[in-house]
Amino acid sequence: MKKEKINEIGNRTIFKVPEHYFEDFAASMEKQIDAFEENKTQLSKASITANKHPMMHLRPILYVAAMFILMVFSIGLVLNYTSGRSSELKTEEISAEKIPTAEDYLISSVGTYGITQYYVENQTND
Amino acid sequence: MGKTEETKLVEMLRDESQRRKAFSILVKDYSEGLYWQIRKMVLSHDDANDILQNTFLKSWSNLNQFRGDSKISTWLYRIAINETYTFLNKERQKNMIGITDLEDTMAQNLQGDPFFDGDEAAKKLQRAILTLPEKQRLVFNMKYYDDLKYEEISEIVGTSVGALKASYHYAVQKIEAFMAMDL
């Protein structure tokens, strides 16, 4: 292709449109605006009907109540867990079964071998 | 549309009882200008038609936001440009999985387009224009095809006149370099 300057090509419109396009477009736009408005009216009617339901007015109160119940439940759960843990620890500390007796102490310090030896020696002396 | 006519139309658009009638006038008066601006960006008639419909639907639903700071035509052109950019971005995302660029696809589609009436040189010019970044392409189209004043383009695209002049100058250089290549 030979080198061409853009001014030589010219700026005439090189695109076409279907016949009567702009007249038809205006008519089609009228219909679309009608449909758009009708849709808008229906949507607003639906929204009004939904808002008219008696429960819809109570919705904010119900939300707050649900939040409050959830909060109380959570706090209760946390408190219950922490107090449970501390009482468990206390029970462990003061449990009588866990306190070593004098007998336990003697057994653990002397050992089974020492006690047997003691009895054997006593028997021999007798 | 003259200034007095535009003021009257804006007043009608603000009046709820006359709004619908005024909008019909708006569609009749501006659809052609907006269409060509969109068409030169997307090249395909069907895509331009969809974007134009979205432009008017968006302007109808946002009519309350038109404060009258700018001309109604400027406001409409801005919406049309935004809709065009949105369309091109979506197409680019769809095209990401393919191996060809969106611009290559658009240029290829011109080959069999029944609504394209250009010769080989015009086709090559379109391919050259497609190599420009989107905003530069828009500025080039507004100046080269529509011969709009830089002040008018500045109002629509929100860029200074100086920057627009520089952008157009570089666009012409790039296009001429592309046209000089034997492809």
Side-chain angles (χ1 to χ4, degrees):
Chain A
M1 182 178 277
K2 66 177 182 185
K3 293 171 186 176
E4 293 179 76
K5 287 263 178 188
I6 58 166
N7 290 337
E8 288 161 16
I9 298 166
N11 59 357
R12 71 177 183 91
T13 308
I14 39 162
F15 299 107
K16 292 188 294 181
V17 289
E19 229 175 304
H20 309 299
Y21 168 69
F22 292 109
E23 293 91 328
D24 295 345
F25 178 83
S28 128
M29 213 56 231
E30 293 281 324
K31 281 180 196 162
Q32 285 197 49
I33 300 283
D34 281 340
F36 178 84
E37 282 301 299
E38 201 177 313
N39 198 22
K40 209 167 81 176
T41 317
Q42 275 176 0
L43 274 174
S44 69
K45 268 183 192 167
S47 153
I48 290 165
T49 320
N51 283 329
K52 269 183 183 169
H53 194 278
M55 285 302 280
M56 292 306 287
H57 297 291
L58 291 174
R59 205 159 58 170
I61 301 164
L62 288 173
Y63 284 152
V64 173
M67 284 294 290
F68 181 74
I69 291 167
L70 195 74
M71 222 163 70
V72 168
F73 181 73
S74 313
I75 292 169
L77 209 70
V78 170
L79 285 176
N80 195 26
Y81 177 74
T82 46
S83 66
R85 285 279 298 160
S86 61
S87 66
E88 244 176 59
L89 287 170
K90 277 179 194 165
T91 318
E92 269 178 30
E93 279 166 16
I94 59 164
S95 170
E97 284 176 8
K98 297 266 176 180
I99 298 170
T101 56
E103 227 173 277
D104 289 334
Y105 175 74
L106 276 173
I107 289 168
S108 67
S109 57
V110 179
T112 344
Y113 176 77
I115 293 166
T116 321
Q117 194 74 18
Y118 171 77
Y119 279 117
V120 168
E121 274 173 17
N122 274 355
Q123 287 290 323
T124 325
N125 292 339
D126 289 340
Chain B
M1 188 180 275
K3 204 175 177 183
T4 329
E5 281 170 307
E6 186 170 324
T7 315
K8 204 179 163 191
L9 187 68
V10 171
E11 275 170 19
M12 281 170 78
L13 286 168
R14 287 197 174 129
D15 179 358
E16 225 161 290
S17 64
Q18 295 190 77
R19 184 172 289 177
R20 195 54 211 278
K21 193 183 161 195
F23 198 77
S24 297
I25 299 170
L26 198 78
V27 172
K28 280 193 185 104
D29 284 1
Y30 292 106
S31 55
E32 198 166 340
L34 291 171
Y35 172 85
W36 289 120
Q37 211 53 256
I38 299 165
R39 178 77 187 270
K40 275 173 247 154
M41 287 298 284
V42 297
L43 307 186
S44 143
H45 165 70
D46 290 336
D47 294 338
N49 179 47
D50 288 346
I51 299 168
L52 187 62
Q53 283 180 29
N54 289 344
T55 301
F56 280 116
L57 280 175
K58 199 155 256 185
S59 47
W60 171 255
S61 59
N62 292 302
L63 216 48
N64 291 329
Q65 287 175 24
F66 176 68
R67 295 186 301 272
D69 300 340
S70 60
K71 287 198 283 185
I72 191 99
S73 56
T74 307
W75 184 66
L76 285 172
Y77 272 93
R78 281 185 198 151
I79 297 174
I81 290 165
N82 283 338
E83 286 298 307
T84 308
Y85 285 159
T86 308
F87 169 84
L88 289 171
N89 287 339
K90 275 185 192 163
E91 287 300 302
R92 195 159 284 123
Q93 277 170 6
K94 272 194 235 168
N95 228 48
M96 267 169 77
I97 30 171
I99 42 167
T100 49
D101 284 345
L102 171 66
E103 281 70 22
D104 287 341
T105 314
M106 284 163 77
Q108 276 165 21
N109 289 345
L110 271 185
Q111 299 289 339
D113 191 342
F115 299 117
F116 181 74
D117 193 25
D119 54 14
E120 281 307 309
K123 267 182 203 163
K124 193 175 179 184
L125 177 59
Q126 283 307 311
R127 276 162 58 209
I129 296 169
L130 282 169
T131 62
L132 303 174
E134 270 162 19
K135 196 170 178 182
Q136 201 171 30
R137 205 191 316 167
L138 180 76
V139 173
F140 180 83
N141 286 337
M142 284 176 160
K143 192 71 200 155
Y144 182 75
Y145 285 109
D146 306 328
D147 201 21
L148 289 182
K149 286 179 188 154
Y150 282 115
E151 287 74 16
E152 289 173 296
I153 304 173
S154 166
E155 225 179 292
I156 296 167
V157 298
T159 308
S160 71
V161 170
L164 288 174
K165 281 181 182 171
S167 177
Y168 182 70
H169 175 74
Y170 287 126
V172 172
Q173 276 187 341
K174 278 188 222 171
I175 288 169
E176 284 186 340
F178 186 93
M179 297 299 284
M181 285 193 293
D182 285 321
L183 292 170

